[in-house]
Amino acid sequence: MAIPGVVHAFSVDHVDISIDEMGNAAVQMNYQANHIEVGAYSLATVVMDVKNVAKERLEAVFQKTVSVQEISPSSTRFVVQDFAQVENETIISPSFEYLDAEMLFDERLKWIKDALSLDFTPKITKIQFLDGYYESFENLDAIPEIIHTLMK
């Protein structure tokens, strides 16, 4: 009797991006992980420095300095320096695309990626500015530029 291979889907539920008065972005990414994904995460932390790898990959994508505060099986928190452009009372957040899962894995860990079905496109992306204004996007892998003039 043949047992078909089980594909475990990893998906991102919610990404919150909060932009401060300097244009820095605090990013909170929340996702659900099943026991196999938690095991893969645990193995990855043994084989490599996941915070450092995430920092390198995120800096390559944003072309900005990134500090990673937390990576766990359920969330990731990081700050992107100078994420948005600030001109007087106007903040311009850049357009960007979510990473292809392939870009996140070290060559030594490609087998983990191949064992999972990974989708880094969030169900909801919320970009919030310091005056409380925000925009939300559902199931988009590319987020457009947002030009927002702060309310006084």
Side-chain angles (χ1 to χ4, degrees):
M1 171 182 222
I3 299 174
V6 177
V7 176
H8 297 278
F10 170 92
S11 62
V12 177
D13 294 325
H14 202 115
V15 174
D16 285 313
I17 301 171
S18 298
I19 301 173
D20 69 17
E21 68 276 357
M22 303 300 292
N24 302 322
V27 180
Q28 172 79 33
M29 179 180 282
N30 297 322
Y31 35 85
Q32 299 290 324
N34 64 30
H35 67 282
I36 291 176
E37 293 157 350
V38 170
Y41 169 80
S42 296
L43 180 60
T45 62
V46 170
V47 177
M48 66 181 181
D49 180 350
V50 292
K51 278 187 176 181
N52 192 47
V53 170
K55 175 182 170 53
E56 289 173 5
R57 303 290 157 76
L58 290 166
E59 286 180 343
V61 168
F62 289 111
Q63 297 294 305
K64 307 280 183 180
T65 300
V66 173
S67 60
V68 178
Q69 278 88 34
E70 174 193 16
I71 297 180
S72 75
S74 62
S75 68
T76 299
R77 283 186 306 117
F78 59 93
V79 174
V80 181
Q81 299 295 315
D82 300 317
F83 173 78
Q85 186 178 7
V86 179
E87 298 174 4
N88 300 319
E89 297 297 314
T90 300
I91 298 178
I92 304 166
S93 69
S95 63
F96 63 91
E97 293 183 23
Y98 283 101
L99 290 174
D100 179 3
E102 189 80 21
M103 294 179 63
L104 290 178
F105 284 85
D106 182 277
E107 276 299 316
R108 297 170 293 168
L109 299 176
K110 293 290 185 189
W111 64 271
I112 294 173
K113 181 206 66 71
D114 293 341
L116 305 171
S117 174
L118 302 171
D119 181 6
F120 286 105
T121 302
K123 292 177 181 113
I124 298 173
T125 300
K126 179 180 175 184
I127 300 178
Q128 184 164 334
F129 297 85
L130 60 136
D131 63 356
Y133 174 81
Y134 69 90
E135 291 196 23
S136 291
F137 305 92
E138 291 185 30
N139 296 310
L140 288 182
D141 60 357
I143 303 302
E145 174 184 87
I146 301 171
I147 300 172
H148 174 63
T149 301
L150 298 172
M151 302 296 214
K152 294 185 181 199

